[in-house]
Amino acid sequence: MSLIRISPALCLSIALGLLTLAGCTTGVRPEAPVLDNRLQEQVTALEQAGNHSAAAELYLQEAGEARSPRREDLLLLGAASLIRAGDTARAAALLDDLSAAELTDNQQQRYALSRARLALLGQQPDTALALLADVPADGRHELDYRQIRAGALDQKQAFFEAARERVALDPLLAGDPDAQLENQFGIWQALSGLSDAQLQQLRTAPPPDTLSGWMELLELTRLYLQQPDALAEVIPHWQMRYIGHPAGGAFIEQLLDNMRQAGQPPRQVAVLLPLTGRLDGPAAAVRDGILASYYDSPDHLRSSRLRFYDTGADPQAILETYELAVQDGAEFIIGPLRKEAVQILVQQQEIPVPVLALNHVDQPDQTNPSVFQFGLAPEDEAREVAERALKEGYSRALVLAPEGSWGDRISTAFIQRWTELGGLVLEQQRYQATEADHGPAISSLLNLDSSSLRKTRLVRLLGSGLEFEPRRRQDVDFIFLLATPDQARLIRPQLKFYRASSVPVLSTSHVYSGRVDSERDADLNGLQFCDMPWLLGTDDSWQHLKQVVGERWPEESARYARLHALGIDAWRITPYLGQLGGGMFGSYHGVTGTLHIDSGLQLHRSLQWARFSGGQAQPLVEPPGPATPAPESLPPAP
């Protein structure tokens, strides 16, 4: 997890490059001959005071009496001020009235920069990047160019590229310490979107460069997240490896300060779980994960008192149990686990003590400002498959899912995300999960039944027999398969039988039992799926904890591995929930995945990827590129 506080004075430019979008005064360089000294002083004072609208009016008033090319200079400056003022419609209209063909080279570059800023404000990062193509990266507008490009890459979640762009931007801001520190926060935030494996893979060999220094510092912070004093002891060694690194001053000071301030757990935490009833096994696994994580924490994090409460089999009992925990002095509550109980809590108007629920409600728009929702939502995994497929360069999908509400819900999540990203779903079929022969569904999915129908029609037309081999459709890039391990072991060979052995198959964690079973899983070879780091990762920071859980609960650690991980992350993330997604850090790298939070306080997971090979799940290093929708069309030429 990455950890840093952004002060109010530094605003929110990290996530979306708002420094760029605002066209900050650092990047504003009016041409000296455009205004006389008196007007130039007035405009500069207005811009520095944040009165960009008034500055735009002065530019436009002066433009009304000017001739080319001074008129175009003034209009471009006015449009830039309007963008900073948030008057994008008027700025766009001004730019529309300009003829790019009549602009000088320098004016065309400034025109492109303003157009790119407007595209970025409209959440069109691909358009912004395309507009920058004609602006030299190292020319007179390099500062503006790199700010806009960094903001666009932030929006695209192109984490590595965004960080690299901001590293190049950093020395250009040397004259403005606040802007430079803010840009360094942007580097940190971008790199925080990378997994540990990606950070290690992307770091360059010695001699170390600046970007590698940032990545190594982030790795150290994740390793010592709960021990800021230990991090302070190892930082001098990092500084010796990266002498003169830009993070070595104010950034590290603020990083350590905020790590010490954050991460303090509540004095008493209540855990509400259905420890009796039909969910007693899963509930016990979550409890054991919380306890394992608690006793694995540094001493200062074990100052919190843990109390467990049984919510029983009746979801309606949650309110009474919640009130009892509050009366007993709980300052924070983990649980409940049942979806119905979470629903009841979310609907309450008064929740005096905040809650980290261990499930999600069915309706994402149902939220409560005191209830965080954290669970192993399969919908997140379906969306992860869509994003992975786009990174692989695929565009056309087939969907094969079981009949029933579960299959409908998860396949719908995949289809919605896939179409948002510009992908096509060519066909979808449902299969009976209780049956062994899925031939009819697979045949329809691959259009083999249409091929057979064409053969029948030809026989009738010709009146004689034909040598015939059914031919599957050839327009598919991959198959999204939703299945349990037993179902996948049946379906994968049948896909091969129906001539689809060369079609990539992507799936969710549901195809993986979590245990090595080389003989039975040999039929799954080649299939790719996503799952949590607890089952796929090799992170040294928690391997010992996995060993402890396996030795303490050998049977449960195999059956309930994912629920143990849920309990571990539920405890570990509790002290940081107030900062997650806000001014402190954008994500938490846990054992269940990389956790992000949305505006409704729902936590979502980004997972790791693996491929079956030799009957075993082999982890894959995910490419650092973004899940990028199809490029938006460029604005019409003026």
Side-chain angles (χ1 to χ4, degrees):
M1 177 179 63
S2 53
L3 186 64
I4 188 106
R5 184 185 300 277
I6 302 174
S7 66
L10 295 176
C11 304
L12 299 174
S13 68
I14 291 177
L16 299 177
L18 295 184
L19 176 65
T20 297
L21 301 185
C24 69
T25 54
T26 302
V28 179
R29 298 175 178 174
E31 302 291 336
V34 174
L35 297 174
D36 60 37
N37 291 338
R38 180 181 59 82
L39 286 175
Q40 185 64 65
E41 291 175 359
Q42 288 180 320
V43 167
T44 300
L46 289 169
E47 294 279 15
Q48 290 178 346
N51 194 351
H52 305 298
S53 295
E57 293 303 328
L58 278 177
Y59 283 129
L60 299 180
Q61 180 180 349
E62 192 74 9
E65 302 176 357
R67 296 182 179 180
S68 297
R70 184 170 177 268
R71 174 181 175 274
E72 285 74 20
D73 281 330
L74 290 163
L75 291 176
L76 287 167
L77 289 168
S81 292
L82 288 172
I83 293 172
R84 289 190 288 277
D87 193 348
T88 56
R90 193 176 174 201
L94 272 178
L95 295 173
D96 289 342
D97 288 339
L98 290 171
S99 174
E102 297 178 0
L103 299 178
T104 66
D105 289 345
N106 181 45
Q107 288 172 343
Q108 287 180 352
Q109 292 174 20
R110 290 159 59 195
Y111 175 90
L113 290 169
S114 288
R115 281 289 190 192
R117 285 196 181 97
L118 288 173
L120 209 53
L121 284 167
Q123 298 294 306
Q124 294 180 311
D126 288 290
T127 298
L129 292 172
L131 285 162
L132 293 177
D134 295 329
V135 180
D138 56 355
R140 63 194 303 178
H141 303 294
E142 181 180 5
L143 179 60
D144 293 317
Y145 170 90
R146 295 200 180 278
Q147 286 177 334
I148 296 172
R149 182 171 167 79
L153 293 168
D154 282 339
Q155 283 191 7
K156 284 166 61 68
Q157 297 184 7
F159 302 122
F160 181 70
E161 294 298 326
R164 186 161 60 182
E165 193 66 45
R166 289 191 179 278
V167 167
L169 172 62
D170 197 65
L172 303 177
L173 299 170
D176 189 338
D178 285 345
Q180 188 173 44
L181 184 58
E182 190 170 21
N183 181 66
Q184 291 171 0
F185 294 157
I187 297 171
W188 189 261
Q189 195 78 352
L191 291 176
S192 297
L194 299 177
S195 67
D196 292 336
Q198 288 172 324
L199 290 173
Q200 295 170 11
Q201 179 193 35
L202 293 169
R203 276 169 47 191
T204 60
D209 64 7
T210 301
L211 184 55
S212 292
W214 281 106
M215 291 190 281
E216 186 174 323
L217 180 61
L218 181 59
E219 289 180 88
L220 289 171
T221 304
R222 289 178 182 175
L223 182 63
Y224 294 102
L225 176 65
Q226 297 178 322
Q227 304 174 70
D229 291 337
L231 177 61
E233 292 179 4
V234 302
I235 277 180
H237 300 283
W238 172 87
Q239 290 174 317
M240 291 182 65
R241 282 176 48 78
Y242 298 93
I243 297 174
H245 194 280
F251 182 88
I252 283 182
E253 292 178 6
Q254 192 161 351
L255 170 66
L256 291 171
D257 180 61
N258 285 281
M259 286 181 65
R260 293 186 177 102
Q261 292 181 33
Q264 293 299 321
R267 286 174 295 182
Q268 182 166 313
V269 176
V271 183
L272 280 52
L273 294 169
L275 296 170
T276 56
R278 65 180 181 86
L279 293 180
D280 59 342
V286 173
R287 176 201 62 198
D288 295 342
I290 291 174
L291 287 171
S293 183
Y294 175 82
Y295 286 109
D296 185 62
S297 302
D299 291 343
H300 73 281
L301 294 180
R302 290 203 302 272
S303 61
S304 179
R305 182 184 181 189
L306 273 177
R307 296 191 64 173
F308 291 85
Y309 296 79
D310 181 12
T311 59
D314 183 8
Q316 298 295 328
I318 185 59
L319 293 180
E320 180 180 350
T321 311
Y322 174 88
E323 291 175 1
L324 176 61
V326 173
Q327 291 172 5
D328 287 345
E331 296 182 352
F332 191 85
I333 290 175
I334 298 175
L337 182 63
R338 293 177 62 105
K339 186 184 292 287
E340 299 90 340
V342 177
Q343 182 75 46
I344 291 171
L345 274 184
V346 167
Q347 292 174 343
Q348 302 306 305
Q349 293 184 350
E350 294 292 334
I351 301 289
V353 173
V355 173
L356 175 61
L358 300 179
N359 213 323
H360 293 268
V361 298
D362 288 332
Q363 300 298 325
D365 58 344
Q366 292 184 346
T367 62
N368 187 299
S370 297
V371 180
F372 297 88
Q373 299 178 44
F374 172 39
L376 308 182
E379 292 88 348
D380 281 345
E381 298 188 20
R383 288 184 279 266
E384 182 100 358
V385 173
E387 293 165 2
R388 176 73 180 199
L390 191 73
K391 292 177 182 179
E392 294 283 0
Y394 303 148
S395 61
R396 296 164 296 186
L398 301 178
V399 177
L400 184 59
E403 293 184 350
S405 59
W406 183 77
D408 291 343
R409 181 162 51 92
I410 300 174
S411 59
T412 297
F414 165 79
I415 292 170
Q416 287 178 343
R417 182 57 178 153
W418 182 237
T419 54
E420 284 175 2
L421 295 172
L424 297 175
V425 175
L426 302 177
E427 180 72 41
Q428 54 177 312
Q429 288 291 329
R430 299 291 186 268
Y431 64 87
Q432 280 286 352
T434 56
E435 296 179 359
D437 182 10
H438 303 301
I442 294 173
S443 179
S444 296
L445 188 73
L446 299 173
N447 274 0
L448 289 170
D449 47 359
S450 298
S451 180
S452 299
L453 181 60
R454 289 193 298 272
K455 179 253 187 180
T456 301
R457 289 173 178 171
L458 283 173
V459 169
R460 289 176 180 173
L461 179 65
L462 299 175
S464 61
L466 292 173
E467 291 187 5
F468 173 76
E469 181 176 340
R471 184 173 182 270
R472 70 164 177 85
R473 66 190 309 156
Q474 301 295 311
D475 57 349
V476 58
D477 293 326
F478 75 102
I479 297 171
F480 169 55
L481 172 63
L482 182 61
T484 64
D486 288 339
Q487 293 163 353
R489 291 168 186 145
L490 291 170
I491 291 173
R492 180 67 169 155
Q494 292 180 48
L495 285 170
K496 296 178 181 178
F497 176 80
Y498 284 99
R499 300 168 180 82
S501 59
S502 62
V503 180
V505 178
L506 276 62
S507 190
T508 62
S509 67
H510 303 91
V511 300
Y512 183 42
S513 66
R515 299 182 294 273
V516 176
D517 195 343
S518 301
E519 183 176 350
R520 299 182 69 196
D521 287 341
D523 286 330
L524 300 180
N525 285 343
L527 183 149
Q528 294 186 43
F529 67 97
C530 56
D531 209 334
M532 60 176 60
W534 185 250
L535 292 177
L536 298 178
T538 58
D539 192 320
D540 292 337
S541 66
W542 48 259
Q543 281 302 310
H544 69 285
L545 182 57
K546 188 174 183 179
Q547 181 178 352
V548 168
V549 171
E551 293 173 353
R552 179 66 179 83
W553 301 284
E555 295 184 7
E556 291 82 357
S557 65
R559 183 179 181 185
Y560 294 122
R562 295 180 177 89
L563 290 171
H564 281 139
L566 177 64
I568 290 169
D569 272 357
W571 169 252
R572 285 185 168 186
I573 200 174
T574 291
Y576 305 104
L577 283 170
Q579 292 81 32
L580 189 64
M584 199 150 195
F585 53 88
S587 58
Y588 180 96
H589 289 257
V591 298
T592 60
T594 300
L595 306 180
H596 314 270
I597 196 167
D598 64 21
S599 59
L601 301 187
Q602 292 203 21
L603 275 69
H604 303 279
R605 299 179 301 139
S606 297
L607 304 176
Q608 289 190 355
W609 277 85
R611 177 189 287 112
F612 282 103
S613 177
Q616 296 186 27
Q618 303 294 336
L620 300 174
V621 176
E622 188 175 356
T628 308
E632 304 94 346
S633 59
L634 294 177

